[in-house]
Amino acid sequence: AQSVTQLDSHVSVSEGTPVLLRCNYSSSYSPSLFWYVQHPNKGLQLLLKYTSAATLVKGINGFEAEFKKSETSFHLTKPSAHMSDAAEYFCVVSGWQGGKLIFGQGTELSVKP
Amino acid sequence: EPEVTQTPSHQVTQMGQEVILRCVPISNHLYFYWYRQILGQKVEFLVSFYNNEISEKSEIFDDQFSVERPDGSNFTLKIRSTKLEDSAMYFCASSGNRDSGETQYFGPGTRLLVL
């Protein structure tokens, strides 16, 4: 069975400093992995996805993530946080034959001025 | 940019009442989904729908729940007799196909409160 664990429920950074949101996955097959972001009162927006091509994936708003099979990780990073990055971030794995998505618990990112 | 819309944004109902949550998926998408998030818990898959029938459902999606595409644009989730534990945020999503790497586009959610 597939599962996703986000290692931090809350991360707080200062504006202009790097962001690291950690995600580990468990899967019995080659997974597709996603990061979604949710701003208050908004839908879940796709940041980036990994689908067995390049292991370093670049997404919107300067975010990127690296798929590391040996560590079963898919951590999300950004070199310099912006106030507008404050939101909830979800690491997600796709079901075996596509279709349903399996979500991690979410990480709330706070950005201090 | 096309987006998934959901109505209402908030719904308060009494236990035992029926509720219908509405979604308008992206117009050329063929696969539709409902997820829910109980406060403080993970987002959970409920059901997927394609070609006017359910293609997959979770254990949560019991006989209390039903889905329908009543016309060419709407996709609805009905809860027949609501329980307190149905209180949650319900998200609708749609995608162009159901491949493993296909992006699902989510609506803003409907917050359901059952009293």
Side-chain angles (χ1 to χ4, degrees):
Chain A
Q2 304 84 254
S3 67
V4 173
T5 301
Q6 292 181 244
L7 300 169
D8 306 290
S9 58
H10 187 258
V11 169
S12 182
V13 300
S14 296
E15 190 174 22
T17 64
V19 175
L20 170 64
L21 305 183
R22 298 182 295 165
C23 172
N24 286 111
Y25 70 91
S26 173
S27 179
S28 53
Y29 58 91
S30 293
S32 291
L33 291 158
F34 308 78
W35 277 97
Y36 280 85
V37 61
Q38 186 181 27
H39 292 275
N41 301 316
K42 299 283 189 181
L44 294 154
Q45 180 188 19
L46 180 72
L47 273 180
L48 50 80
K49 66 180 180 182
Y50 165 78
T51 57
S52 77
T55 56
L56 182 62
V57 182
K58 294 189 186 299
I60 61 172
N61 301 334
F63 284 94
E64 61 182 40
E66 186 171 7
F67 173 74
K68 291 187 177 179
K69 187 175 180 180
S70 60
E71 298 176 10
T72 61
S73 69
F74 189 58
H75 301 334
L76 182 71
T77 60
K78 182 173 180 177
S80 176
H82 192 272
M83 296 296 292
S84 61
D85 295 327
E88 182 119 26
Y89 292 78
F90 294 94
C91 184
V92 181
V93 65
S94 177
W96 173 51
Q97 291 179 311
K100 72 177 182 184
L101 299 179
I102 297 143
F103 283 72
Q105 303 93 316
T107 298
E108 184 180 354
L109 175 65
S110 300
V111 182
K112 298 175 289 189
Chain B
E1 184 178 327
E3 56 183 25
V4 177
T5 59
Q6 290 185 243
T7 54
S9 58
H10 294 79
Q11 172 104 41
V12 181
T13 189
Q14 296 291 322
M15 190 170 56
Q17 295 297 303
E18 174 183 287
V19 295
I20 297 176
L21 309 183
R22 291 184 168 79
C23 168
V24 179
I26 292 173
S27 63
N28 61 345
H29 282 180
L30 300 175
Y31 293 85
F32 314 115
Y33 311 85
W34 284 101
Y35 294 81
R36 80 173 184 189
Q37 185 181 29
I38 295 171
L39 191 63
Q41 298 186 22
K42 291 185 181 187
V43 176
E44 305 170 287
F45 168 79
L46 291 178
V47 66
S48 60
F49 190 86
Y50 168 72
N51 199 25
N52 278 321
E53 58 183 32
I54 291 172
S55 45
E56 186 177 6
K57 61 182 181 179
S58 71
E59 295 173 350
I60 304 166
F61 195 88
D62 60 21
D63 293 344
Q64 290 264 74
F65 293 91
S66 62
V67 289
E68 189 179 30
R69 189 152 163 82
D71 54 42
S73 60
N74 289 282
F75 178 52
T76 62
L77 174 69
K78 182 193 291 187
I79 309 175
R80 252 177 278 285
S81 177
T82 50
K83 306 173 200 165
L84 296 176
E85 54 265 37
D86 294 327
S87 295
M89 178 74 93
Y90 288 81
F91 294 105
C92 173
S94 69
S95 65
N97 64 61
R98 72 183 303 273
D99 293 344
S100 175
E102 183 71 9
T103 299
Q104 291 182 22
Y105 294 85
F106 285 80
T110 293
R111 186 171 296 283
L112 176 65
L113 179 61
V114 182
L115 302 176

